[in-house]
Amino acid sequence: MLATRRGSPGRLHSLARALSTESAAHTIHSPPPFPPQKPETNKPRASRLYPRPRPAAPSNHQALQRLPAAFGKNQLLPVPNSTRALLEQIVGSFEAPIRYAFAYGSGVFEQAGYEQAGDGESKRGKVDRPMLDFVFAVSHPGHWHSINMHQYPGHYPLHARALGSSFVAKVQEFGPGLWFNTFVPMHGVTIKYGVTTVDTLCADLLNWRTLYLAGRMHKPLRIIKDDARVRLTQQVNLTSALRTALLTLPDSFTQRELFSRIAAISYAGDPRMLLPAENRGKVANMVSRQEGQFRELYWRLAQGLPGVRWGVDAMKIEQDVSAHARAAHLKKLPQGLLVRVHERMAGRGPSREADESAYWLRVASDEQMPTILHEEMCKIVRYPATVQSLKGVVSAGVAKSARYTAAKVGKWWKGVSASPS
């Protein structure tokens, strides 16, 4: 029997292989600890970054990964290659992560009354060259400002650097939700850039909560860094501006009249238009030189609206002004404006709950509707625009604020001098 047990070399060999395999597997799962690595010398130590970036908080919104290739094509306005390269170079200089960036204003698209910089520009031409305006939409403003403050401390006033990025992020939340750094020299030009969050930007584009960002984006702008979610909400914003303008216009009008109504939305109620702090002819100056860009933004959108007839090469536009057609536009106005319209129309007839169809027809046929829309947009714009103007003293400092105000007064005086008496 002992011989039988000893005569099983195959079983013993298999048992040995199994034990050796288990032992090997055990040693693989329990490696010796690695020695501590030395910090890399080519990167700045965390203690040198002040204020320290705060950990990113999880976002409640899932990123929109992709849109159809042709969606929002009307938003991609061309600019000269030299301008495009300069704008991309400026935005690319920021180390802090930017999700969406655009440039706007007379420094990007030509406006009447502004000198355009050229290769053979004179010394006076350089002085008159308008400042380049940017808006950056970011995910986490406190984290963004801490990185940017470390890279470009001179962009912030002394008190903002002393109080840190948390202070800047908190001030940014007031009013329309922007922090502006102004009179910043970069790459041979002077720029002004505002920082907001993607959530704040998209909320204003959809609902016209303040019309501060949405109103600026009614006009031609150059997208430098794109984001699918912003492009989607911007398309809604442009359509809302088109519907609102159509509700204030008669059955026949020119495309320039349409563009002027759209461009004026963000200036309605702005306190700077009541004070000597803005060029009174700004809308006319803009539309007269940017009519092609406005048409690119809005012509395709108008083709999808019921009752609007606007030919490919036509300068004249016609629309159906019946109560049913206007009610179709009213129902799809942004919530921030539509709520105010409901409040103004309360008590003027059957309630919305009693008969919704009759209510919309009554509201749409009201002769005072264009005036009501204008007055309510003024109310939306007035408070956040006032708060943002007051925030300029905090974000820019006294010296830069005085310089910026002087430049605005100069534009106002230039507009008054140029206007016919």
Side-chain angles (χ1 to χ4, degrees):
M1 196 153 178
L2 182 60
T4 305
R5 291 179 181 174
R6 290 180 180 177
S8 304
R11 293 180 59 187
L12 294 176
H13 182 66
S14 299
L15 180 60
R17 288 188 61 185
L19 293 175
S20 63
T21 304
E22 290 177 4
S23 177
H26 180 71
T27 57
I28 290 174
H29 287 294
S30 303
F34 291 102
Q37 296 182 356
K38 295 182 179 180
E40 298 181 10
T41 56
N42 58 342
K43 294 183 179 180
R45 297 177 61 186
S47 59
R48 294 180 59 188
L49 183 58
Y50 179 80
R52 292 174 180 268
R54 294 176 296 185
S59 176
N60 295 327
H61 299 280
Q62 293 184 353
L64 188 61
Q65 297 296 335
R66 188 165 38 188
L67 288 171
F71 184 86
K73 184 180 178 182
N74 56 306
Q75 301 177 28
L76 305 178
L77 301 179
V79 295
N81 289 334
S82 58
T83 301
R84 176 185 56 80
L86 176 61
L87 299 179
E88 292 176 356
Q89 184 182 23
I90 291 172
V91 174
S93 300
F94 290 85
E95 295 177 357
I98 300 171
R99 276 185 57 183
Y100 183 84
F102 68 87
Y104 65 99
S106 56
V108 182
F109 296 101
E110 185 179 0
Q111 290 185 21
Y114 290 91
E115 297 289 339
Q116 294 298 309
D119 295 334
E121 63 187 356
S122 62
K123 183 177 180 181
R124 178 174 176 79
K126 290 182 179 179
V127 173
D128 290 342
R129 181 172 182 169
M131 184 161 46
L132 292 176
D133 298 316
F134 295 84
V135 168
F136 302 153
V138 304
S139 297
H140 309 287
H143 180 74
W144 195 93
H145 284 295
S146 68
I147 296 174
N148 196 52
M149 199 176 291
H150 177 66
Q151 183 185 9
Y152 296 120
H155 293 188
Y156 297 83
L158 180 61
H159 65 270
R161 298 199 300 269
L163 295 172
S165 61
S166 297
F167 166 79
V168 174
K170 182 60 65 175
V171 173
Q172 178 180 311
E173 294 175 3
F174 289 102
L178 282 103
W179 173 280
F180 274 104
N181 288 330
T182 187
F183 285 110
V184 174
M186 290 192 76
H187 300 286
V189 295
T190 302
I191 73 169
K192 176 184 74 175
Y193 63 93
V195 182
T196 187
T197 66
V198 174
D199 290 345
T200 299
L201 175 59
C202 291
D204 200 32
L205 294 176
L206 286 176
N207 303 318
W208 287 12
R209 185 180 65 89
T210 67
L211 266 174
Y212 195 91
L213 287 162
R216 274 155 180 73
M217 296 181 73
H218 291 160
K219 299 177 276 289
L221 55 88
R222 174 65 184 183
I223 298 174
I224 305 162
K225 292 194 72 172
D226 204 358
D227 179 85
R229 181 180 163 207
V230 179
R231 188 189 289 201
L232 179 62
T233 52
Q234 166 64 348
Q235 202 76 338
V236 176
N237 178 48
L238 294 174
T239 307
S240 298
L242 182 57
R243 291 183 185 276
T244 304
L246 290 173
L247 286 167
T248 65
L249 288 165
D251 60 344
S252 180
F253 49 92
T254 66
Q255 68 174 18
R256 181 168 291 194
E257 289 176 309
L258 173 66
F259 301 153
S260 297
R261 291 293 175 93
I262 293 173
I265 289 176
S266 63
Y267 296 111
D270 192 329
R272 296 176 301 173
M273 302 303 291
L274 303 176
L275 302 172
E278 191 60 82
N279 188 347
R280 303 293 172 82
K282 191 175 184 69
V283 171
N285 293 343
M286 183 187 310
V287 174
S288 64
R289 299 292 181 88
Q290 301 176 23
E291 199 162 351
Q293 286 88 353
F294 272 100
R295 185 183 176 91
E296 179 67 23
L297 280 175
Y298 292 103
W299 184 84
R300 291 183 182 87
L301 295 177
Q303 306 311 305
L305 297 184
V308 179
R309 296 174 293 278
W310 187 3
V312 176
D313 299 318
M315 299 293 179
K316 200 82 171 177
I317 307 171
E318 296 178 350
Q319 68 165 332
D320 183 359
V321 293
S322 66
H324 285 89
R326 289 189 177 271
H329 293 319
L330 274 168
K331 291 177 183 179
K332 295 187 178 181
L333 290 181
Q335 193 67 20
L337 178 59
L338 194 55
V339 167
R340 293 172 176 269
V341 172
H342 289 321
E343 293 174 354
R344 288 287 296 269
M345 299 304 295
R348 295 193 182 188
S351 65
R352 184 181 175 189
E353 292 75 14
D355 190 340
E356 187 167 0
S357 298
Y359 170 82
W360 284 114
L361 292 176
R362 176 177 60 83
V363 172
S365 59
D366 194 309
E367 294 181 354
Q368 297 299 315
M369 183 51 58
T371 303
I372 291 173
L373 290 174
H374 175 74
E375 291 175 353
E376 294 308 318
M377 286 188 292
C378 287
K379 294 177 183 178
I380 293 174
V381 171
R382 185 174 295 119
Y383 176 74
T386 303
V387 172
Q388 188 62 43
S389 297
L390 297 175
K391 280 169 58 178
V393 180
V394 180
S395 62
V398 177
K400 283 188 176 181
S401 294
R403 183 181 172 189
Y404 186 75
T405 303
K408 285 293 185 181
V409 171
K411 291 181 180 180
W412 168 82
W413 178 252
K414 192 174 183 178
V416 171
S417 302
S419 62
S421 56

